[in-house]
Amino acid sequence: MTDRFEELLQELGRIFQLPLHVDKIGACSIMIPPHPAIQLQLDETQEHLLLFSKIVEIVPGKFRENVLCDALKANALTDPRPGILGYIGKSNELALYQKYRASFLNGERLASYIGLFLEMALAWKVAIEHGNTAP
């Protein structure tokens, strides 16, 4: 399935006009400013493609509690949703992830999903940086 991942990256690279390849850990990170970096990787079963992005650091306190509460509310929305919000305690960061069945994807479909994913990540990043607890 790694070959399928490499095929997807080649198709995606043509669409984004970027040279994309699998790194040493079997992932690919993409940076498209002003969006946060996004990492693509196959899961352990190699059946699902995982998208992951660290969005923004949130300092401890009531504001972080409110952000995480709003993130939980956003996660409760019905599908389809571009991603699921999470929290990385070690670095105090809000993160976004999603997974898709790899056999269902092609370059165009993946590019569309990545676009929606990055829009969501950027909306949360901008909101938090401006003192809001959600977009």
Side-chain angles (χ1 to χ4, degrees):
M1 186 60 100
T2 300
D3 293 336
R4 179 66 188 129
F5 184 43
E6 290 173 355
E7 282 178 32
L8 276 173
L9 291 179
Q10 287 178 5
E11 291 175 27
L12 191 62
R14 282 191 291 275
I15 293 167
F16 287 159
Q17 298 180 356
L18 294 169
L20 301 176
H21 61 280
V22 179
D23 65 16
K24 294 176 188 176
I25 64 166
C28 178
S29 292
I30 304 171
M31 182 73 138
I32 305 172
H35 299 91
I38 181 174
Q39 181 173 316
L40 290 74
Q41 185 172 350
L42 289 176
D43 69 356
E44 292 176 359
T45 67
Q46 305 225 338
E47 293 179 7
H48 294 95
L49 180 69
L50 306 173
L51 306 181
F52 174 80
S53 181
K54 292 180 181 178
I55 298 175
V56 66
E57 183 178 352
I58 314 167
V59 296
K62 188 65 175 171
F63 179 72
R64 179 172 74 188
E65 290 176 27
N66 292 338
V67 168
L68 296 179
C69 183
D70 284 346
L72 287 172
K73 290 175 187 174
N75 287 345
L77 297 174
T78 58
D79 281 330
R81 59 181 178 251
I84 300 165
L85 294 158
Y87 177 70
I88 304 169
K90 288 183 180 181
S91 59
N92 293 323
E93 289 178 287
L94 186 66
L96 185 66
Y97 70 95
Q98 187 59 282
K99 73 177 185 177
Y100 298 101
R101 183 166 293 285
S103 61
F104 173 74
L105 296 172
N106 61 34
E108 287 182 28
R109 189 172 286 142
L110 180 56
S112 174
Y113 292 151
I114 287 173
L116 295 170
F117 184 90
L118 288 175
E119 283 178 25
M120 182 176 178
L122 185 60
W124 278 87
K125 178 178 173 37
V126 168
I128 291 167
E129 288 177 344
H130 286 91
N132 298 309
T133 60

